[in-house]
Amino acid sequence: MRAYDTKYQTIIIGGGIAGMTAALQLYKFGIRVLIIEKEDNLGGHLNKWYKLFPGFVNADEVVSNIVSEINDKRIHNITSDEVISIDSIYDNYIVKTSSGHSFEAESVLLAQGFNTFDPTKKEEYGYGLYSNVKTSVEVEKILKEHSNITIPKRIGLIHCVGSRDEKAGNLHCSKLCCVSAVKQSIELKERFPDAEVICFYIDLRMFDNGFEELYMEAQVEHGIKFIRGRLSECSENIDGSLVLKVQDTLTGLPMNVSVDWLVLMVGKEAAKLPNLDKSIDLKLAPNRFVAPENIFYNPNQTSQPGIFCCGTVSGPKTIHESAADAKAAAMSIIDYLNRK
Amino acid sequence: MGKLRDKLFEDVRFEEGLKACMNCGVCTAICPAAEFYDYDPRRIVSIVQTADDETIIDLLKSETIWYCGQCLSCRTRCPRNNTPAYVIMALRKLSQEMGYFTESEKGRQQLALKRTVGDNVLKYGYCIYPAELTPSKHPEQGPVWEWVHKNSQAVYDRLGANLDKLGEGALRQIDNETLKELDAIFEITGNNDFFETIENYSEKQAEKMGLGFDDSHDCEYMKHITTVNEKKHQR
Amino acid sequence: MSKEKRDIWRKYQKSIGDDNFFFVRSCIRQNFFPASEQAFLHILRNELGKNVVEDARHTTCSGIGYHSDVVNFDTLQTIIARHFALMTEAKLKNVAISCVTSFGLYSEVLETWKEFPSELEKTRENLYKATKREFEIPENIAHCSDIIYKFREEIKNKGKNRLVNAETGEPLKIVDHIGCHYAKIFPEYGEGGAEFPQVLTGMIESWGGQTVDYPERRHCCGFGFRQYLVQANRGYSVSNTYKKLQSMEPYKPDMIIANCPGCTMFIDKWQYTISEMEHKTFGPDKTGIPVLTYEELAGLVLGYDPWDLGLQMHQVSAEPLLDKMGIKYDKDKKFADKSGKIFSIPKQPEYIL
């Protein structure tokens, strides 16, 4: 879309699942929206993923379906552009971007999603130092691209990397890593049938429909091993294989486990917010995600009237939770615009 | 939750060391004592955080609390900012104050530590002193140390130390005024009383065990506690 | 280690005093590495022109007693406060701490006073009641290895020898062992943090050597205080060092350096003990891997005589290393006294050379 208006009823910051779903819902009610996305393509984190659970559907398919709808409906969107500031002006907002655009909006919807935890902060895990230490995001890429690599004989997946960890700066649980680990353990086992795949967990958060069943499937049908113990340290042997120091807390035995690959289930952190002018009072939760005005009655309104939030910008969510949240946010915005 | 747990919280190290444990095991995974002893720092913190008096007394009497080597590797890793080693140190102090330390083989060794390292502080102003590290009690130090020990004056002179003389330098004689100050510190902070507590409970224990007990490093009881290892300490 | 790997470790930069140090000695170093402490003083005073004050009235910090659970925390705080009082008297604000356990405890005491101010008040009262002394809190506490690290470039520039194989020019492979209490208690008090401390790595790389990353790199040497001091427990202590030595063996290190007095002493002596117990050594041809303090290393770089540096007090002979580095030494003067006379020599161990 080359021609943009100067004023919109809603500017949506972030063109991932949440942003796009909200845009489509707002469109149905005739609201003029603009999506501003900092990456080169719409789709957000889903662009990096291989298969989604439940169903092991292709992430690409899910993204392309929704993006085609955005294009069919000719919903305004800018990519490769990042919102750098939001200023308030009377009842409205001025949104400026890194490429120099400036738009006026009656309402703003924050849908920037989350940042992935940078595992170099857990120095003792050796990410960035030892080549066989990978993140779960990198594993999605490996699975997607079917890259030709050496065959690992034993793979360890580490839950809670950068989550539930004061030393990493994040007390919160990132919610989705447990089911992602179980999913990836199955995918890795299917890719490398002779490999031993071990998930090192503390608690297994299998909270949604089908999750607990997937855990059972992993054990029964795929022989995935589960050891309850948090990774303390990863070192590299002279041959490049890795040595993990972990306690099997259920038997009480401290262990040194050798693996060929280590997969870090990196957690979700709050996304960076644009600069807000002094009059804007946007409250954050203690875990630094955007705080809803009232979690029970007004989950999509932030503490700043006219600025809304949806998707993982206010905390980790599954994809369908983000989509539902986005539609709810759209209804809140419509309500707000009507009352204005 | 009982009186003993409250008493433990009076120890600043316990307060610093015990937040809340999620039983993840990173401490035990990295603990050297967990490798070589039947020891699990995770279990100790997990128990202590909700322990009643009876459970704590069991711990104070056990071998378990004496396995820690105080390397503090557990502190570096705990995601809840607990420090199992500090919990252990508070438990060890309480065990000695209440006399329970004499009920375990490893706990009884505290008398030996008091009479060597502890007494050295007041005697020499150092924790370690060459004349006290006799090769017969330290064969693992090897023949070079044996040579150093036998020829201390010559060796230390050669290396620029100031063995047993006043003034600056390694192994200098600490002046009497300073030693008096150290003793005054031990008196005011109650450490002299603490030393006496250790001695008194140990004497009672020696009597119970029918072992000779006097001031020396070589009385029957001292020989017993420093050498006996009944090998029930591994998994 | 490649440069990209190294940059990850540079997150922690700590402030290290520059001059005018109050020097506090280490119990273990005074016994086992007295020449290292003298070398530290000599390098700082005579090579670098710094002011380092040793007050003869300073004592042990009582750390070994504290970690053996016979000295109480109140007592420890007061003894350390007394050193601060001596510093205040001398108008000095930077401490140079010779022992790593001490360094850990000074850090712990200062942090305790920040977090629990009532402990600071209690200590002031205790010290005054016992000695009539009062103290100010120092501006900077540094371990002696931090200070040598800080001036490693100056030492390199004055150096006569580099940490390379004199014949091949290859950098020596050096295992750097960091004492647990240096950074594990407060990672921000360690140069480079707790996981990949830079303090010894920096020295090694500045002086031409190469560090070895092996799986048990961060593993405690096993001193364990009571686990060594009481004979019945000593198996624990030797087992820890054995584990480290086994882990580093495939990398064939030329030497080990440590910044903690206990660690340096134990990794040296346990090689002897293991050789007698298991008939196993970790160097080639029944030799051991020489274990040095960082002052001994600095001294070798600066061209000092190995026997002035106290290498004769080590059980594992350093001669193979000296030969490798092309450093000349007088074999006959190894066990001589101050006047150059040999009064006696140590017995040869049964197994290790």
Side-chain angles (χ1 to χ4, degrees), chain A residues 7 11 37 50 76 91 110 133 139 143 149 167 182 199 209 261 271 286 316 318 331:
Chain A
K7 191 169 170 178
I11 288 185
E37 166 57 49
Y50 179 43
H76 287 202
D91 245 358
L110 302 175
V133 179
V139 166
L143 293 168
I149 12 109
K167 296 224 160 67
V182 174
C199 285
N209 290 326
W261 281 15
T318 63
M331 301 316 289

Coordinates of all heavy atoms in Angstrom, one line a residue, chain A residues 7 11 37 50 76 91 110 133 139 143 149 167 182 199 209 261 271 286 316 318 331:
Chain A
K7 N -4.7 10.6 8.7 CA -5.4 10.4 10.0 C -6.2 9.1 9.9 O -6.8 8.8 8.9 CB -6.4 11.5 10.3 CG -7.0 11.5 11.6 CD -7.7 12.8 11.9 CE -8.5 12.7 13.2 NZ -9.2 13.9 13.6
I11 N -4.7 3.2 14.9 CA -3.4 2.8 14.4 C -3.0 1.5 15.2 O -3.1 1.6 16.5 CB -2.4 3.9 14.5 CG1 -2.6 4.9 13.5 CG2 -0.9 3.3 14.3 CD1 -1.6 6.0 13.3
E37 N 4.1 -2.2 10.9 CA 4.9 -3.4 11.3 C 6.4 -3.2 11.1 O 6.8 -2.7 10.0 CB 4.4 -4.6 10.4 CG 5.4 -5.8 10.4 CD 5.6 -6.4 11.8 OE1 4.7 -6.6 12.6 OE2 6.8 -6.7 12.1
Y50 N 7.5 -23.5 12.2 CA 7.4 -24.6 11.3 C 5.9 -25.1 11.4 O 5.1 -24.8 10.6 CB 8.4 -25.6 11.6 CG 8.4 -26.8 10.7 CD1 8.2 -26.7 9.4 CD2 8.5 -28.1 11.3 CE1 8.1 -27.9 8.5 CE2 8.5 -29.2 10.5 CZ 8.3 -29.1 9.1 OH 8.3 -30.2 8.3
H76 N -5.0 -0.8 5.2 CA -3.7 -0.1 5.1 C -2.7 -0.8 6.0 O -3.0 -1.0 7.2 CB -3.9 1.3 5.5 CG -4.6 2.1 4.4 ND1 -4.5 3.5 4.3 CD2 -5.4 1.8 3.4 CE1 -5.2 3.9 3.3 NE2 -5.8 2.9 2.7
D91 N -7.5 15.0 22.2 CA -8.1 13.7 22.4 C -7.5 12.6 21.6 O -7.9 11.4 21.7 CB -9.6 13.8 22.0 CG -10.5 13.6 23.1 OD1 -10.0 13.4 24.2 OD2 -11.7 13.7 22.9
L110 N -1.9 -1.3 20.9 CA -0.6 -1.9 21.0 C -0.7 -3.4 20.8 O -1.4 -4.1 21.4 CB -0.1 -1.7 22.4 CG 0.0 -0.3 22.9 CD1 0.4 -0.2 24.4 CD2 1.0 0.5 22.1
V133 N 24.7 -25.5 21.1 CA 23.7 -25.0 21.9 C 22.8 -24.1 21.0 O 23.3 -23.2 20.4 CB 24.2 -24.2 23.1 CG1 23.1 -23.6 23.9 CG2 25.2 -25.1 23.9
V139 N 15.6 -24.1 16.3 CA 15.1 -25.4 15.9 C 14.0 -25.4 14.9 O 13.9 -26.2 14.0 CB 14.8 -26.2 17.2 CG1 14.0 -27.5 16.9 CG2 16.0 -26.6 18.0
L143 N 14.0 -27.3 11.4 CA 13.0 -28.2 11.0 C 12.3 -27.7 9.7 O 12.0 -28.5 8.8 CB 11.9 -28.3 12.1 CG 12.3 -29.0 13.4 CD1 11.3 -28.8 14.5 CD2 12.6 -30.5 13.2
I149 N 22.4 -31.4 8.2 CA 23.3 -31.2 9.3 C 23.7 -32.6 9.8 O 23.1 -33.6 9.5 CB 22.7 -30.4 10.4 CG1 21.2 -30.2 10.2 CG2 23.3 -29.0 10.5 CD1 20.3 -30.8 11.0
K167 N 17.5 -14.4 38.5 CA 18.8 -14.1 38.0 C 18.8 -13.6 36.5 O 19.6 -12.9 36.1 CB 19.8 -15.2 38.2 CG 20.0 -15.6 39.7 CD 21.4 -15.8 40.0 CE 21.8 -15.6 41.5 NZ 21.2 -16.6 42.4
V182 N 7.5 -30.1 24.2 CA 7.0 -31.4 23.9 C 6.7 -31.5 22.4 O 7.1 -32.6 21.8 CB 5.7 -31.6 24.7 CG1 5.0 -32.9 24.3 CG2 5.9 -31.6 26.2
C199 N 13.6 -34.2 27.7 CA 13.1 -32.9 28.1 C 13.5 -32.7 29.6 O 13.1 -33.6 30.4 CB 11.6 -32.8 27.9 SG 11.1 -32.5 26.3
N209 N -6.4 -27.3 25.8 CA -7.0 -28.5 25.1 C -5.9 -29.3 24.3 O -5.3 -28.7 23.4 CB -8.1 -28.1 24.2 CG -9.3 -27.6 24.9 OD1 -9.6 -28.1 26.0 ND2 -10.0 -26.6 24.3
W261 N 23.1 -32.2 21.1 CA 22.5 -30.9 20.9 C 21.8 -30.5 22.1 O 21.2 -31.3 22.8 CB 21.4 -31.0 19.8 CG 21.8 -31.0 18.4 CD1 23.0 -31.2 17.9 CD2 20.9 -30.8 17.3 NE1 23.0 -31.2 16.5 CE2 21.7 -30.9 16.1 CE3 19.6 -30.6 17.1 CZ2 21.2 -30.8 14.8 CZ3 19.1 -30.5 15.9 CH2 19.9 -30.6 14.7
A271 N 7.8 -6.7 25.1 CA 8.3 -6.0 23.9 C 8.7 -4.6 24.2 O 8.3 -4.0 25.2 CB 7.3 -6.0 22.8
P286 N 4.3 -5.8 36.9 CA 5.7 -6.0 37.5 C 6.6 -6.8 36.5 O 7.8 -6.7 36.5 CB 5.4 -6.9 38.7 CG 4.0 -6.5 39.1 CD 3.3 -6.2 37.9
P316 N 2.2 -13.6 27.9 CA 2.3 -14.7 27.0 C 0.9 -15.3 26.8 O 0.0 -15.4 27.7 CB 3.1 -15.7 27.8 CG 3.9 -14.9 28.7 CD 3.1 -13.7 29.0
T318 N -1.5 -18.2 23.9 CA -1.4 -19.1 22.8 C -1.9 -18.3 21.6 O -2.5 -17.2 21.7 CB -2.4 -20.3 22.9 OG1 -3.7 -19.8 23.1 CG2 -2.0 -21.1 24.2
M331 N -13.6 -4.8 19.7 CA -14.9 -4.4 20.2 C -14.8 -3.2 21.2 O -15.6 -2.3 21.2 CB -15.7 -5.6 20.8 CG -15.9 -6.7 19.9 SD -16.5 -6.2 18.2 CE -18.1 -5.7 18.6

